[in-house]
C-alpha cells in the first residue's frame, strides 16, 4: 500500500512499468525510428551525401588538384595535370572516402530522427541512455558492403574523365558552383589571416581590443609578402630562399625578428588569399564563356579550363550522391535495421546491462512494486492451498 501510494503521488501520470516492460516499450520506439529512415525523400538523401562529400573532399581538391594545376604554364599542361591527379584520386582515395561519407551520413540521419523524437511532447527521458547505447553498439557492428567501393570507383573514374559540357545550363551551374566554393574558401582564408594579424583599428576602438606583438609581426610579414605578389602576378605557391631572406632582412630593418618558419606559415595563408581572389575573378570572366568553350577558346583570349574542372567535380559529386542513396535504400538501411534488432536482443538478455541503462527512482519503485506483488501472489496461492487442505 505504501509503495502504491508513493507511485500515485510521485508519478501520477505515468504507467507503472518495470524494467522489462520499459525495455519492450523502448525496443518498439527504436524500431519505429529506424523504419522512419524510409520516410526521407531521394532529394533529402542526395543533398545530405553531396554536402558531406564536398565538406570532406574540398581541402584535398583545392590543395592537391586545383592549386598545383593552376601553377602550370598553359591550358594544355593544366588539363594534363588535372587528368592525372583526378585519375589518381578516383583510383585510390576517393571511393574509400565516399563509403566513409555514406556510413557517417546514414548514422547521422538516424540520430537526427532519434533527436527529433526527443522534442515531441510525450518524450520519456528514461529511454535516452538505452537508445544512445543501442546507437553506439550498432555503429560499431555496422560494416558497409565491401563491393560498394569498387562500384563507386568505376562510376567516379568514368565521370571524371568526361570533359564535355553539353549545354549552357550545365556551364552556368558549374560557374555558380565554382564561384560559391571559391568564395567560401576565400572567406575561411581571410578569417584565418584576421585571426593571425589581430583586430583592425575599428575593432580595437569599438571592442577595446589590442594587438599582441605576434599580431604586429604577422601584419608586418603579411605586408612584405603582399609586395612580392603585387610585383609578380603569376607567382608560384612556393616561396624561394632568396625571397625568404629578403623578407626577413626588410623586417629586421623595421626592428622585427622572425624565423623562416614564421614567414612560411604567413605565406601559406597570404598566397591562398591571392590565388583564390584571382580564381574568383577568372570565374566571373567566364560567366559568358560557353560560346568560346564550344569553339575551343581559339583567339578569344579567355581561359576557362577552371570552370570545366569544377563541372567535372560537380558531376562526380552528384553521381556519387545518387549511387550512395541507392546503396542505402537497397541495402544499408535494412542491414542497419537488422543489426539494431540483434543489439536489442543482446541487451534484452543481459539483465546487468539493462540495470545500468534503465535506471532511476521510477524504475526502482516499479521494480519494488513488482517484487511485492509477486510475494503477495505467492502468499495468496499458499493460503488457498491451506484452505483446500482444511
Amino acid at each position: 500500500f505504501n509503495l502504491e501510494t508513493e507511485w500515485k503521488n510521485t508519478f501520477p501520470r505515468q504507467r507503472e512499468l518495470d524494467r522489462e516492460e520499459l525495455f519492450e516499450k523502448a525496443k518498439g520506439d527504436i524500431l519505429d525510428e529506424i523504419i522512419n529512415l524510409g520516410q526521407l525523400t531521394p532529394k533529402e538523401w542526395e543533398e545530405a551525401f553531396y554536402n558531406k562529400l564536398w565538406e570532406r573532399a574540398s581541402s584535398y581538391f583545392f590543395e592537391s588538384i586545383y592549386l598545383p594545376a593552376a601553377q602550370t604554364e598553359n591550358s594544355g599542361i593544366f588539363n594534363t595535370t588535372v587528368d592525372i591527379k583526378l585519375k589518381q584520386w578516383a583510383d585510390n582515395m576517393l571511393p574509400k572516402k565516399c563509403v566513409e561519407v555514406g556510413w557517417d551520413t546514414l548514422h547521422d540521419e538516424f540520430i537526427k530522427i532519434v533527436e527529433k523524437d526527443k522534442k515531441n511532447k510525450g518524450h520519456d527521458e528514461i529511454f535516452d541512455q538505452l537508445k544512445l547505447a543501442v546507437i553506439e553498439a550498432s555503429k560499431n557492428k555496422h560494416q558497409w558492403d565491401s563491393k560498394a567501393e569498387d562500384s563507386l570507383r568505376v562510376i567516379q573514374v568514368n565521370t571524371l574523365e568526361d570533359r564535355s559540357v553539353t549545354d549552357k545550363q550545365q556551364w552556368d551551374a558549374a560557374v555558380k558552383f565554382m564561384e560559391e566554393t571559391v568564395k567560401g574558401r576565400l572567406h575561411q582564408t581571410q578569417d584565418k589571416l584576421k585571426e593571425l594579424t589581430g583586430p583592425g583599428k575599428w575593432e580595437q576602438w569599438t571592442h577595446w581590443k589590442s594587438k599582441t606583438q605576434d599580431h604586429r609581426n604577422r601584419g608586418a610579414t603579411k605586408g612584405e609578402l603582399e609586395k612580392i605578389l603585387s610585383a609578380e602576378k603569376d607567382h608560384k605557391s612556393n616561396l624561394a630562399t632568396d625571397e625568404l631572406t629578403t623578407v626577413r632582412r626588410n623586417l629586421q630593418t623595421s626592428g622585427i625578428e622572425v624565423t623562416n618558419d614564421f614567414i612560411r606559415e604567413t605565406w601559406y595563408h597570404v598566397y591562398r588569399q591571392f590565388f583564390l581572389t584571382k580564381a574568383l575573378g577568372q570565374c566571373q570572366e567566364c560567366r559568358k564563356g560557353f560560346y568560346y568553350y564550344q569553339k575551343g577558346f581559339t583567339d578569344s583570349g579567355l581561359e576557362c579550363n577552371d570552370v570545366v574542372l569544377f563541372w567535372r567535380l560537380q558531376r562526380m559529386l552528384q553521381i556519387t550522391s545518387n549511387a550512395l542513396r541507392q546503396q542505402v535504400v537497397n541495402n544499408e538501411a535494412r542491414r542497419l535495421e537488422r543489426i539494431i534488432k540483434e543489439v536489442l536482443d543482446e541487451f534484452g538478455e543481459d539483465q546487468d546491462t539493462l540495470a545500468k541503462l534503465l535506471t532511476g527512482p521510477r524504475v526502482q519503485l516499479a521494480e519494488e512494486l513488482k517484487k511485492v506483488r509477486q510475494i503477495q501472489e505467492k502468499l495468496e496461492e499458499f493460503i488457498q492451498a491451506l484452505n483446500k487442505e482444511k
Side-chain angles (χ1 to χ4, degrees):
F1 173 78
N2 289 347
L3 292 172
E4 284 174 347
T5 305
E6 185 182 345
W7 183 275
K8 286 172 188 173
N9 290 327
T10 313
F11 310 108
R13 295 180 185 177
Q14 299 281 1
R15 268 200 308 143
E16 190 186 303
L17 299 173
D18 59 40
R19 189 171 280 117
E20 194 175 319
E21 290 165 328
L22 283 169
F23 174 71
E24 289 303 317
K25 188 171 185 295
K27 185 177 178 179
D29 287 352
I30 293 166
L31 293 175
D32 285 344
E33 285 162 349
I34 190 69
I35 290 295
N36 285 340
L37 277 173
Q39 304 300 313
L40 285 168
T41 64
K43 186 183 177 185
E44 287 171 329
W45 274 119
E46 289 187 23
E47 280 181 358
F49 288 128
Y50 183 96
N51 293 333
K52 199 175 279 290
L53 272 171
W54 180 235
E55 181 189 312
R56 299 279 178 88
S58 58
S59 288
Y60 181 87
F61 172 77
F62 273 103
E63 294 296 327
S64 302
I65 298 172
Y66 184 36
L67 185 62
Q71 312 288 305
T72 54
E73 288 78 17
N74 57 56
S75 60
I77 302 174
F78 176 93
N79 288 328
T80 304
T81 306
V82 163
D83 288 346
I84 292 167
K85 289 187 174 293
L86 286 177
K87 181 76 165 60
Q88 288 171 342
W89 190 33
D91 278 340
N92 301 308
M93 293 170 53
L94 185 58
K96 187 177 181 182
K97 184 64 71 179
C98 291
V99 166
E100 288 172 11
V101 164
W103 189 94
D104 286 343
T105 306
L106 174 58
H107 287 278
D108 287 350
E109 292 302 322
F110 178 51
I111 290 166
K112 279 181 193 174
I113 291 169
V114 174
E115 292 297 320
K116 189 178 176 183
D117 284 352
K118 284 185 182 180
K119 295 172 185 174
N120 292 341
K121 196 174 179 181
H123 171 69
D124 196 339
E125 291 180 1
I126 206 161
F127 300 129
D128 288 354
Q129 203 175 342
L130 173 63
K131 286 185 178 183
L132 188 64
V134 170
I135 287 168
E136 286 304 312
S138 61
K139 280 169 82 172
N140 291 336
K141 281 191 166 194
H142 180 212
Q143 299 289 327
W144 206 267
D145 184 358
S146 58
K147 296 189 289 294
E149 199 173 310
D150 292 333
S151 171
L152 286 172
R153 183 177 289 108
V154 173
I155 294 168
Q156 288 165 344
V157 167
N158 290 337
T159 305
L160 288 168
E161 279 178 355
D162 186 4
R163 278 198 264 166
S164 304
V165 185
T166 53
D167 57 47
K168 191 173 184 304
Q169 189 179 354
Q170 287 186 10
W171 183 270
D172 292 342
V175 169
K176 187 183 176 187
F177 174 60
M178 179 179 174
E179 187 175 23
E180 286 173 355
T181 53
V182 170
K183 269 185 184 174
R185 198 84 183 166
L186 180 59
H187 289 153
Q188 287 176 11
T189 306
Q190 288 169 336
D191 289 344
K192 183 63 182 176
L193 274 171
K194 188 180 175 185
E195 183 190 320
L196 290 171
T197 55
K201 287 183 180 179
W202 174 252
E203 197 177 351
Q204 289 179 62
W205 175 255
T206 54
H207 292 87
W208 292 87
K209 291 182 177 178
S210 59
K211 289 194 177 195
T212 63
Q213 186 57 49
D214 190 71
H215 286 152
R216 285 189 282 274
N217 291 353
R218 288 280 182 200
T221 307
K222 176 175 173 277
E224 290 295 326
L225 294 171
E226 283 172 345
K227 287 177 190 175
I228 293 172
L229 291 172
S230 62
E232 191 181 340
K233 298 294 182 185
D234 294 324
H235 200 291
K236 299 291 186 276
S237 59
N238 293 323
L239 203 58
T241 309
D242 59 328
E243 290 172 324
L244 267 172
T245 307
T246 304
V247 169
R248 205 166 75 249
R249 281 178 182 167
N250 289 347
L251 290 170
Q252 283 171 344
T253 307
S254 305
I256 296 169
E257 284 289 344
V258 293
T259 63
N260 285 349
D261 287 341
F262 186 93
I263 296 169
R264 284 195 193 96
E265 188 185 346
T266 312
W267 169 257
Y268 179 88
H269 301 289
V270 170
Y271 183 79
R272 273 146 188 78
Q273 178 178 255
F274 167 78
F275 169 74
L276 292 166
T277 305
K278 199 165 119 181
L280 197 56
Q282 182 84 359
C283 175
Q284 286 158 357
E285 282 179 17
C286 290
R287 276 185 189 283
K288 296 179 181 178
F290 183 65
Y291 170 78
Y292 298 107
Y293 164 75
Q294 287 179 308
K295 302 293 180 186
F297 298 118
T298 51
D299 303 324
S300 67
L302 199 62
E303 291 287 345
C304 295
N305 293 297
D306 309 50
V307 175
V308 179
L309 169 59
F310 276 86
W311 175 79
R312 294 164 77 180
L313 172 70
Q314 188 179 39
R315 278 193 75 238
M316 182 277 293
L317 292 171
Q318 289 167 344
I319 289 169
T320 302
S321 300
N322 178 273
L324 286 171
R325 175 185 64 79
Q326 290 183 58
Q327 288 179 8
V328 164
V329 171
N330 296 335
N331 298 311
E332 297 305 327
R334 284 202 292 271
R335 195 196 312 277
L336 180 59
E337 183 184 350
R338 190 168 65 249
I339 288 167
I340 284 173
K341 283 178 181 175
E342 288 171 7
V343 169
L344 285 166
D345 289 343
E346 288 169 12
F347 280 12
E349 292 168 6
D350 190 339
Q351 293 302 314
D352 292 338
T353 300
L354 286 184
K356 288 175 188 173
L357 298 174
L358 288 169
T359 185
R362 186 172 129 205
V363 184
Q364 197 62 40
L365 187 55
E367 286 290 308
E368 286 177 23
L369 274 161
K370 180 184 175 184
K371 285 176 189 173
V372 170
R373 289 203 178 102
Q374 285 173 344
I375 293 166
Q376 263 185 327
E377 285 169 11
K378 285 178 182 176
L379 278 170
E380 284 169 7
E381 287 170 9
F382 180 66
I383 289 164
Q384 284 171 4
L386 282 175
N387 288 337
K388 281 180 184 178
E389 283 178 14
K390 287 178 183 178

